[in-house]
Amino acid sequence: MNDTVRTAIVTGAARGIGAGVAKRLAADGRQVAVFDLNEASCETVVSAINAAGGKALGVGVDVSDAASVAAGVARVAEELGAPTIVVNNAGITRDNLLFKMSEQDWDMVMNVHLRGAFLMSRECQKYMTEAKWGRIVNLSSISALGNRGQINYSAAKAGMQGLTKTLAIELGKFGVTTNCIAPGFIQTEMTKETADRLKIPFEDFIAMGAKEIPVGRVGQPEDIAALCAFLTSDESGFINGQVIYAAGGPKA
Ligand code: NAP
């Protein structure tokens, strides 16, 4: 699928969807920087990629912190090469109904998703515009359409869609495309934590979710990774500023 060796950064890639994306991009021939809060937590994914014959680097980065992002991206440029693919995947949930939602939980969710995607994109755009080629993929969610108990998360995920469309307009002329993947229920630690909070066994939560999804199952990180591989490929250059729902059906 890809002829040129390029360097990709995947944020929040120590586990879940990010780990799946990092492994898939590496299998497709990309050099991959695995960003997560704690560098040691990246080791499992980095080792798996290297053991499979790929090239990966784990970097401890807090995407909501400008200095941390700048240092992490500079390290990637030096140790792997200019990062011309960025997948803004790092995410957290801090769910609560409006009347119980704290300002801290509002700010934390905004900072990781929106500020993080802004800082990462701003830091990496110079490498992409210089190369006259780049791919940015932002993780939104079906929650962007509204979800009870997630006023912070749904606002952030709707924000990711606006950010995507403006990046697409600003960077398109440099050969840089920006697109957004909005997953439905994907089986990860994040959805397990939701099940735990609701005091529903994860298997039951998965079965309940699958019943509502037309393809009859919940998603796996590999489902999102496959779409991400296409959106960051050399051949996806005419797809720009799109939001693609990957949710096993047409409705959230
Ligand atoms: P996950 O299993 O919770 O993984 C998220 C990763 O992001 C964790 O490794 C986490 O590190 C890391 N992270 C959190 N804050 C960070 C920060 N400030 N800087 C760097 N890394 C940070 O979540 P997931 O389910 O794979 O979700 C990945 C993305 O898809 C998120 O943006 C999520 O909102 C989105 N999404 C998920 C679903 C779903 O059903 N799972 C659906 C729609 C959208 P720690 O473990 O150290 O906190």
Side-chain angles (χ1 to χ4, degrees):
M1 197 190 257
N2 306 302
D3 296 333
T4 316
V5 175
R6 300 188 194 275
T7 298
I9 298 176
V10 185
T11 69
R15 70 182 199 191
I17 294 171
V21 169
K23 288 181 196 164
R24 173 62 196 261
L25 298 191
D28 285 358
R30 307 310 198 181
Q31 306 185 128
V32 180
V34 175
F35 275 23
D36 214 291
L37 275 176
N38 175 355
E39 189 159 324
S41 71
C42 302
E43 193 41 40
T44 311
V45 175
V46 168
S47 303
I49 290 173
N50 290 335
K55 190 165 181 193
L57 171 73
V59 187
V61 170
D62 176 353
V63 296
S64 67
D65 181 88
S68 177
V69 165
V73 170
R75 194 175 148 200
V76 173
E78 200 175 303
E79 294 186 32
L80 282 184
T84 53
I85 299 172
V86 174
V87 181
N88 287 311
N89 166 83
I92 58 168
T93 53
R94 292 292 182 275
D95 298 351
N96 232 326
L97 293 172
L98 172 63
F99 76 102
K100 287 193 278 189
M101 171 106 20
S102 69
E103 289 158 43
Q104 191 192 13
D105 283 349
W106 172 270
D107 289 343
M108 272 189 81
V109 168
M110 290 299 152
N111 285 344
V112 175
H113 295 270
L114 274 181
R115 193 164 200 270
F118 153 63
L119 291 174
M120 284 296 305
S121 303
R122 190 179 65 176
E123 201 58 34
C124 293
Q125 55 78 30
K126 57 185 175 232
Y127 299 102
M128 301 185 192
T129 53
E130 199 178 306
K132 296 262 178 290
W133 191 95
R135 298 282 183 267
I136 300 172
V137 174
N138 297 317
L139 268 290
S140 178
S141 166
I142 56 172
S143 295
L145 302 170
N147 198 25
R148 186 178 162 79
Q150 287 199 314
I151 190 163
N152 50 359
Y153 185 81
S154 68
K157 290 310 200 184
M160 293 294 265
Q161 300 191 7
L163 181 135
T164 296
K165 287 171 190 294
T166 297
L167 286 178
I169 292 166
E170 289 192 14
L171 299 178
K173 68 178 170 204
F174 300 104
V176 179
T177 66
T178 310
N179 291 288
C180 202
I181 299 175
F185 188 144
I186 309 297
Q187 188 176 339
T188 67
E189 280 302 308
M190 183 180 272
T191 37
K192 181 171 183 308
E193 282 164 12
T194 305
D196 291 348
R197 200 171 47 251
L198 297 171
K199 298 190 178 20
I200 302 171
F202 195 33
E203 312 80 70
D204 296 353
F205 194 58
I206 288 169
M208 283 158 56
K211 259 194 210 154
E212 304 297 320
I213 299 173
V215 298
R217 66 172 178 89
V218 302
Q220 298 298 326
E222 293 73 22
D223 291 310
I224 304 306
L227 177 55
C228 196
F230 173 66
L231 291 175
T232 57
S233 71
D234 294 351
E235 63 190 348
S236 66
F238 204 56
I239 300 162
N240 191 23
Q242 299 305 304
V243 178
I244 302 176
Y245 284 86
K251 288 194 219 156

